[in-house]
Amino acid sequence: MGTLAHMLFKSTRSFYPFITLVFILLSLTWSFYSLSSSSPSHYSIIPTPKRIPFDFYLHGTRIQDNYAWLRNTQDPDVYSYIEQENSYTDASLRGQRGLQGEIQKELEGANLYAKSECDMLAVSQYWQEGGYLYYTRSTAPYPATFRRLRFNETACFCTLDLGPEETVLDYNTILPPNTTYFSPGIFEVNPRDPSLIAFSYDTTGSETYALYIRDTKTGKMWGGWPSYDSARWAVDRGAHYLYYNAVDPQWGIPRWVLRACARACPKQDKRDERGEPEWVYVEEDPSLTTAVDATSDGLFVFVKVTGQVTSEIRLINSTIATPLFHRSLAIHYTIDHAHAHFYILTNALAPNYAIHRLPTAQALASNMSISALFSDKPPEPVLPASDAQYIERMDLLSLHLVAWVRVRGLRQVVTIDLVSQSMTRPVPPTLETYSLFPGTNTDMDQRLYTEFNSSCLLFSNSSFTVPHASYVHHLGTADTRRMTHKTVSVPFSERRVWVPSTRTPNTFIPISLLTPPTSNPTPILVSAYGAYGGFQDPTWSPHLFSLLRRNISYAICHPRGDADLGAEWYTSAKYTTKNLTFSDVRDCISGLISLGVALPGHIGLYGRSAGGLITGSAVSSSGFNGLVQLVVTQVPFVDPVGDMIDPTMPWVPYEYYEWGNPNNINIFHAMMDYSPYYNVPKSKIKVFVTTGLKDARVGFYEPLKWVAKMREVGINVLVRVTGQGHFGGVGSAGLREMCEWLAFVVCGIGV
């Protein structure tokens, strides 16, 4: 497809001057009308992008894509068209600016400060490491991280026996004053020398993070290396190295692992603090990615090679990464280590995962594949697999193993005493309806920030109506205490409901529901994702209250394609059965109407990224006719055939194991059947699309192509193209984006 696209773009270069002139004239005409009009939505010129015929054939089928030219970032008409769309959206939403301002004031007033038993306020995250208590405080405009020495290291979490506060990292002193986007990446303290920290951040939205090392004693900082989402410290022959993963620019995925020397660097290597990093590992399979991790006891640093269905652990020794157990297709596994045993979390024997352990010496000498390890005599089970329990993750402390599990879609904690093998679930039943999260400093990493030798388990918990609270569970005494919380009372109600599937007998779909204080049906916004075996937890989200205050309910549908009800719930809606996801969402909406929750004629659907297939199906499928009146979709994935046809594009080989390869005729016909881009009938649905020019996951051209297709049949569609990446803007920019789509929902389905 890349060659055909190149021929297309090359053949149209002679027409650039003429087309550019036409769009300049159109833009000037639009400006005149929009400035002189008292009702911009009626008098503004609707953007009409050019159409350049571009055909390709697959399995004997002719596929026509008249908007493939939008992929050509060298074509000035691409940016001219984007400007027209943004201007048209500005004009069309001008009447909602007052409402946007009201919502913005509500959201700005929603900031709540943490109440803490420690002598600190406004702290968002806590963790213990290396004799210190670390915490992040939301300073203005950027966060800062501090630490205090703990003199009583046996006490759980926070005691009065703390040293003075030390500033470890303050982004307000690092970021330039003209920064328009900011996303923090990793934060790693060298466990053998806590004066050395590593941190990274992204100021573009492209998800390429600048990685730095900082000496907290001298204040010296160096680095700036391109990196991705993981890093760990290790000592090699007395030298302190930082191992990290990075994106290969050719493939656009994190397939590199490198290391940078920070202290006591070997003289013969001539790599000091100003030296260049050196290679450790390059993954050759483009369907797999790399990350760097370490065992909880600190004895092993390793590379996690991970794909959609396959993984491999490679232990790092200097600049060599050797497989612990060789990869086997369609088997995932990860590891941890304690007391001369490797602990293995894997789906080798059951799709819902189990935890086993193997003596260290035996594991290191095995030299076998993960399938061979479990084919004959499997290692000793620690937490067996269960059809009723999906094991999401494990964390290891010196005397206890902590497993994060899903039971009927809700996260629970299981702790296992490694000496007695006794098992407990420390979270009180009253918390099981909430969204349980481990204490963490980065969403991308999600590891448990608890010292290996500690007897304390730190976790957080929240729900639609209960703000995040930090808890400490003492693993020895089974005592659980709430350490930080935000006090707020909201007049809204939350509950879980189950609705029947029309496609599969005796199957019920869970819905997380947030409603205003009324027993009558209300307008409702339904959110769904349905891909990658993900989890959409009902967490504290104050921006939703702007809908609730205006008598609009909110629901999260948990369709197949997510993994809320286990591995089968995920895998049953992949490849040629992807339509199950969309039918589940339709059933969620119909079920909410039947339950008397949703008000017919006033229903909106929200989806982002892979959830764009769900919102796209609402536009293209007759099954949603009369159910959904409004769609909000952000960075939507809507052209699976066009995206997956070219294996040289970033992430495509990786994604084959989620969506399938359209070179397979059955996959191709399934994709063509559900593709929003190739199924755009006339529809009365109102659609609001957002996309970002720096999106490294869903190229901005894909939503734009879909918008252009909808324009052909007269669908009422608006699109906002930002200069951000996949996750949108942050700070004031992110707030404006949120207020814009929330106001669109209120005006579109509100009563």
Side-chain angles (χ1 to χ4, degrees):
M1 181 176 176
T3 302
L4 290 172
H6 176 73
M7 293 172 63
L8 165 70
F9 300 143
K10 184 177 180 181
S11 66
T12 58
R13 286 176 184 167
S14 60
F15 295 98
Y16 287 169
F18 171 75
I19 296 172
T20 303
L21 177 61
V22 170
F23 277 112
I24 290 174
L25 292 174
L26 286 174
S27 181
L28 290 173
T29 305
W30 175 87
S31 299
F32 171 78
Y33 279 110
S34 63
L35 290 173
S36 61
S37 171
S38 59
S39 181
S41 60
H42 292 292
Y43 294 100
S44 299
I45 295 177
I46 298 176
T48 306
K50 65 184 180 183
R51 300 175 66 187
I52 301 177
F54 173 50
D55 297 349
F56 62 98
Y57 290 82
L58 193 59
H59 304 296
T61 301
R62 177 193 176 205
I63 302 172
Q64 188 175 34
D65 187 355
N66 293 329
Y67 301 107
W69 65 272
L70 286 166
R71 298 171 68 110
N72 183 9
T73 57
Q74 303 303 312
D75 186 345
D77 288 350
V78 171
Y79 303 99
S80 175
Y81 172 56
I82 288 173
E83 288 180 11
Q84 292 174 60
E85 288 288 6
N86 277 339
S87 296
Y88 179 69
T89 297
D90 287 338
S92 299
L93 298 181
R94 189 171 297 169
Q96 298 180 12
R97 287 181 181 173
L99 178 59
Q100 292 173 14
E102 290 178 16
I103 293 175
Q104 182 167 339
K105 288 181 180 178
E106 293 170 5
L107 298 185
E108 289 173 340
N111 293 324
L112 302 170
Y113 289 97
K115 304 293 185 181
S116 174
E117 293 188 15
C118 305
D119 57 344
M120 295 165 287
L121 296 176
V123 179
S124 57
Q125 291 132 350
Y126 300 78
W127 70 98
Q128 297 175 165
E129 190 170 353
Y132 287 92
L133 172 71
Y134 288 85
Y135 50 96
T136 298
R137 184 177 296 145
S138 299
T139 55
Y142 304 110
T145 300
F146 308 87
R147 68 182 174 195
R148 300 174 73 174
L149 189 65
R150 292 181 297 126
F151 298 110
N152 182 1
E153 296 187 23
T154 61
C156 268
F157 190 49
C158 181
T159 71
L160 297 177
D161 198 13
L162 295 171
E165 182 175 89
E166 175 189 354
T167 302
V168 181
L169 178 66
D170 186 353
Y171 279 111
N172 296 284
T173 64
I174 294 173
L175 297 176
N178 58 346
T179 299
T180 58
Y181 177 90
F182 168 72
S183 176
I186 63 99
F187 180 91
E188 287 293 323
V189 180
N190 186 338
R192 295 173 178 82
D193 185 351
S195 66
L196 289 176
I197 65 164
F199 66 96
S200 65
Y201 60 87
D202 173 19
T203 56
T204 66
S206 64
E207 298 180 61
T208 294
Y209 293 80
L211 177 65
Y212 292 89
I213 296 173
R214 184 173 186 266
D215 187 329
T216 59
K217 289 182 178 179
T218 65
K220 182 180 178 182
M221 187 174 79
W222 64 94
W225 307 294
S227 68
Y228 198 58
D229 65 350
S230 64
R232 294 292 184 269
W233 290 97
V235 174
D236 179 16
R237 292 186 287 268
H240 292 248
Y241 287 95
L242 179 70
Y243 291 82
Y244 65 95
N245 67 336
V247 171
D248 176 352
Q250 178 181 352
W251 284 96
I253 61 173
R255 57 192 294 261
W256 294 349
V257 174
L258 303 94
R259 71 174 188 173
C261 188
R263 182 155 294 166
C265 304
K267 294 181 179 179
Q268 68 274 16
D269 202 4
K270 297 183 179 178
R271 286 185 172 91
D272 59 11
E273 295 86 347
R274 300 172 185 81
E276 289 299 316
E278 58 185 325
W279 297 97
V280 175
Y281 180 71
V282 177
E283 174 53 46
E284 298 297 333
D285 186 340
S287 72
L288 302 172
T289 64
T290 63
V292 180
D293 206 345
T295 55
S296 296
D297 60 5
L299 293 182
F300 298 93
V301 177
F302 56 89
V303 178
K304 293 193 297 185
V305 180
T306 308
Q308 290 290 88
V309 300
T310 304
S311 68
E312 179 181 64
I313 300 299
R314 303 181 74 97
L315 300 181
I316 294 176
N317 181 8
S318 188
T319 57
I320 300 174
T322 306
L324 178 61
F325 307 112
H326 297 274
R327 68 191 70 172
S328 298
L329 184 63
I331 295 180
H332 265 141
Y333 79 98
T334 189
I335 64 162
D336 210 334
H337 188 268
H339 303 303
H341 281 83
F342 278 107
Y343 288 75
I344 307 163
L345 171 64
T346 182
N347 62 353
L349 295 180
N352 277 356
Y353 288 82
I355 300 175
H356 299 255
R357 71 177 181 179
L358 189 68
T360 304
Q362 182 180 344
L364 294 176
S366 64
N367 192 29
M368 65 176 62
S369 67
I370 188 68
S371 60
L373 178 67
F374 282 87
S375 62
D376 215 6
K377 184 180 179 182
E380 175 190 0
V382 178
L383 182 59
S386 167
D387 291 339
Q389 175 177 279
Y390 180 87
I391 305 176
E392 187 179 352
R393 202 176 88 248
M394 69 174 176
D395 292 290
L396 209 56
L397 286 79
S398 60
L399 298 178
H400 294 83
L401 182 145
V402 179
W404 302 86
V405 304
R406 296 270 177 169
V407 178
R408 288 179 60 80
L410 300 174
R411 185 179 276 158
Q412 297 181 10
V413 182
V414 175
T415 64
I416 299 173
D417 189 309
L418 297 180
V419 177
S420 66
Q421 295 291 297
S422 61
M423 183 187 308
T424 61
R425 296 178 185 259
V427 179
T430 55
L431 294 183
E432 290 181 1
T433 58
Y434 296 169
S435 305
L436 223 57
F437 292 100
T440 178
N441 196 46
T442 163
D443 291 337
M444 280 190 264
D445 192 5
Q446 287 196 340
R447 67 186 176 121
L448 190 67
Y449 280 92
T450 300
E451 286 185 310
F452 177 69
N453 292 318
S454 174
S455 59
C456 310
L457 170 66
L458 171 65
F459 62 92
S460 62
N461 191 27
S462 78
S463 72
F464 275 146
T465 62
V466 178
H468 290 278
S470 296
Y471 291 81
V472 171
H473 175 75
H474 196 289
L475 294 163
T477 64
D479 176 44
T480 302
R481 297 177 59 197
R482 185 169 70 175
M483 299 303 299
T484 67
H485 63 281
K486 297 177 180 180
T487 55
V488 64
S489 176
V490 294
F492 313 125
S493 301
E494 62 179 329
R495 56 190 167 118
R496 294 190 102 220
V497 297
W498 298 75
V499 299
S501 164
T502 57
R503 292 279 299 271
T504 311
N506 302 316
T507 297
F508 292 84
I509 308 156
I511 303 174
S512 300
L513 186 60
L514 178 63
T515 57
T518 177
S519 58
N520 298 321
T522 68
I524 191 167
L525 180 66
V526 179
S527 173
Y529 187 70
Y532 298 103
F535 306 103
Q536 311 304 306
D537 289 304
T539 60
W540 174 254
S541 305
H543 70 276
L544 297 176
F545 299 159
S546 293
L547 300 178
L548 276 290
R549 292 188 184 101
R550 292 164 177 84
N551 207 43
I552 298 175
S553 298
Y554 178 78
I556 300 177
C557 175
H558 304 281
R560 280 170 282 193
D562 291 336
D564 295 78
L565 302 185
E568 186 180 357
W569 193 251
Y570 164 47
T571 57
S572 62
K574 290 183 67 172
Y575 308 133
T576 58
T577 58
K578 188 61 196 171
N579 270 313
L580 273 177
T581 297
F582 315 134
S583 65
D584 280 359
V585 176
R586 288 195 297 270
D587 290 339
C588 282
I589 295 171
S590 298
L592 289 169
I593 295 173
S594 299
L595 291 171
V597 173
L599 182 65
H602 298 274
I603 297 175
L605 184 61
Y606 174 90
R608 73 178 331 271
S609 194
L613 290 176
I614 293 173
T615 51
S617 70
V619 177
S620 60
S621 170
S622 60
F624 282 91
N625 284 350
L627 289 179
V628 174
Q629 290 73 39
L630 173 145
V631 159
V632 172
T633 186
Q634 298 174 329
V635 295
F637 172 53
V638 289
D639 182 14
V641 175
D643 263 14
M644 303 299 294
I645 198 67
D646 186 356
T648 65
M649 294 293 290
W651 292 100
V652 167
Y654 178 91
E655 298 284 353
Y656 281 156
Y657 292 96
E658 177 65 26
W659 313 108
N661 187 335
N663 289 302
N664 176 300
I665 190 169
N666 295 323
I667 296 292
F668 168 72
H669 286 301
M671 284 182 172
M672 289 299 291
D673 180 55
Y674 69 72
S675 169
Y677 184 57
Y678 288 108
N679 297 277
V680 184
K682 290 185 178 180
S683 173
K684 294 182 179 180
I685 292 179
K686 294 173 285 187
V687 182
F688 186 39
V689 181
T690 63
T691 185
L693 287 173
K694 297 177 181 177
D695 193 333
R697 302 189 183 213
V698 180
F700 70 88
Y701 50 82
E702 184 170 334
L704 281 181
K705 292 199 310 176
W706 184 46
V707 168
K709 267 289 197 66
M710 289 189 282
R711 289 252 186 267
E712 289 183 4
V713 296
I715 293 177
N716 184 357
V717 57
L718 300 175
V719 60
R720 172 69 68 200
V721 185
T722 72
Q724 310 298 340
H726 190 71
F727 298 101
V730 296
S732 58
L735 182 62
R736 287 193 299 271
E737 293 172 22
M738 184 178 293
C739 294
E740 187 172 63
W741 73 259
L742 285 171
F744 182 82
V745 170
V746 172
C747 293
I749 62 172
V751 176

